[in-house]
């Protein structure tokens, strides 16, 4: 978990549209940014701090694995501060992954796919951390134990941020430490 998410852009969703417009203004219209259904290793927008401003920038989903092929796409929030791969990023390079929901599959024979989002909200913001590898900015999503709204589908879920807490997550390490232990919001799900 979280192995796939979405960032669908529509004229009605002003938040996501603003993020895409900011990316296009910064990187140009031909910038390799992926929207729609997002897969590991896609280049996508994240929100991070550049000097003292929180702004969208492009990043690749997944830290490289150094001893095998593939990428690491998630970090357990409970152990991120202890793991050498994630510790410095957690302390100094937190980010937010904007989305319109994430996907999970039921872990039984049906393999039914579900889309999760916040009730009465078009958007869902996930807590992440980033680092640079060979001059590429890359991120992972922080996950925690699933709450009652998802546990029957999967045992993990992303740490979900309320929009008004984005700045606190990125800039305030004490808040970030506290958030790792907070109860996650109830999510809606839909079969897809």
């Amino acid at each position: 978990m979280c192995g796939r998410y979405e960032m669908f852009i529509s004229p009605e969703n002003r938040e996501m549209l603003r993020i895409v417009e900011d990316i296009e203004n910064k990187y140009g219209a031909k910038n390799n940014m992926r929207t729609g259904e997002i897969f590991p290793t896609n280049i996508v927008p994240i929100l991070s701090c550049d000097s003292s401003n929180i702004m969208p920038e492009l990043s690749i989903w997944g830290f490289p694995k150094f001893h095998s092929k593939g990428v690491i796409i998630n970090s357990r929030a409970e152990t991120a501060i202890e793991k050498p791969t994630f510790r410095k990023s957690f302390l100094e390079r937190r980010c937010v992954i904007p989305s319109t929901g994430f996907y999970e599959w039921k872990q039984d024979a049906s393999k039914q796919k579900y889309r999760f989002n916040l009730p009465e909200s078009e958007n869902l913001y996930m807590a992440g951390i980033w680092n640079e590898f060979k001059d590429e900015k890359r991120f992972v999503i922080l996950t925690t134990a699933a709450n009652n709204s998802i546990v029957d589908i999967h045992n993990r879920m992303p740490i979900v941020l309320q929009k008004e807490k984005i700045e606190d997550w990125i800039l305030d390490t004490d808040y970030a430490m506290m958030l790792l232990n907070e109860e996650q919001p109830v999510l809606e799900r839909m079969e897809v």
Side-chain angles (χ1 to χ4, degrees):
M1 169 44 274
C2 169
R4 227 175 285 156
Y5 68 93
E6 65 180 29
M7 185 179 175
F8 286 107
I9 310 304
S10 70
E12 298 80 33
N13 190 333
R14 293 184 189 267
E15 285 178 55
M16 292 300 137
L17 195 57
R18 181 190 52 78
I19 290 169
V20 169
E21 287 171 353
D22 287 350
I23 291 288
E24 289 176 350
N25 288 335
K26 184 174 183 176
Y27 296 93
K30 295 183 180 182
N31 57 44
N32 296 324
M33 175 179 54
R34 171 81 182 222
T35 58
E37 190 166 349
I38 308 297
F39 297 80
T41 72
N42 285 161
I43 299 171
V44 293
I46 63 169
L47 306 176
S48 65
C49 187
D50 181 20
S51 301
S52 61
N53 299 318
I54 294 174
M55 56 192 310
E57 50 191 321
L58 291 177
S59 184
I60 299 169
W61 184 14
F63 284 9
K65 289 184 178 178
F66 293 106
H67 302 293
S68 63
K69 291 184 178 181
V71 292
I72 302 165
I73 59 173
N74 299 318
S75 171
R76 289 178 168 261
E78 303 89 337
T79 59
I81 195 80
E82 301 164 9
K83 304 281 184 179
T85 302
F86 305 119
R87 180 177 172 73
K88 191 166 177 85
S89 291
F90 179 81
L91 294 173
E92 299 175 8
R93 296 182 290 267
R94 290 178 302 279
C95 64
V96 172
I97 299 90
S99 78
T100 51
F102 68 90
Y103 298 107
E104 197 52 71
W105 287 259
K106 191 158 181 106
Q107 301 296 303
D108 64 11
S110 73
K111 298 290 184 194
Q112 176 62 50
K113 183 178 180 181
Y114 291 89
R115 178 185 178 271
F116 291 89
N117 62 354
L118 285 168
E120 299 179 20
S121 178
E122 296 176 294
N123 304 311
L124 182 136
Y125 294 96
M126 298 176 283
I129 55 178
W130 66 271
N131 204 343
E132 284 194 16
F133 301 92
K134 296 183 180 178
D135 295 324
E136 293 179 325
K137 188 173 235 181
R138 293 174 166 262
F139 73 94
V140 296
I141 296 171
L142 289 171
T143 66
T144 190
N147 65 18
N148 288 339
S149 63
I150 188 173
V151 74
D152 62 321
I153 306 299
H154 201 279
N155 64 349
R156 305 290 298 169
M157 67 183 291
I159 292 184
V160 175
L161 296 167
Q162 300 298 326
K163 182 181 176 189
E164 61 272 9
K165 294 298 185 179
I166 289 173
E167 185 173 318
D168 292 334
W169 167 256
I170 293 173
L171 299 177
D172 185 344
T173 302
D174 291 335
Y175 174 78
M177 293 292 290
M178 182 188 72
L179 181 66
L180 297 181
N181 299 310
E182 279 190 2
E183 188 172 325
Q184 292 298 297
V186 173
L187 301 176
E188 289 182 334
R189 70 173 133 188
M190 179 178 65
E191 288 186 20
V192 285

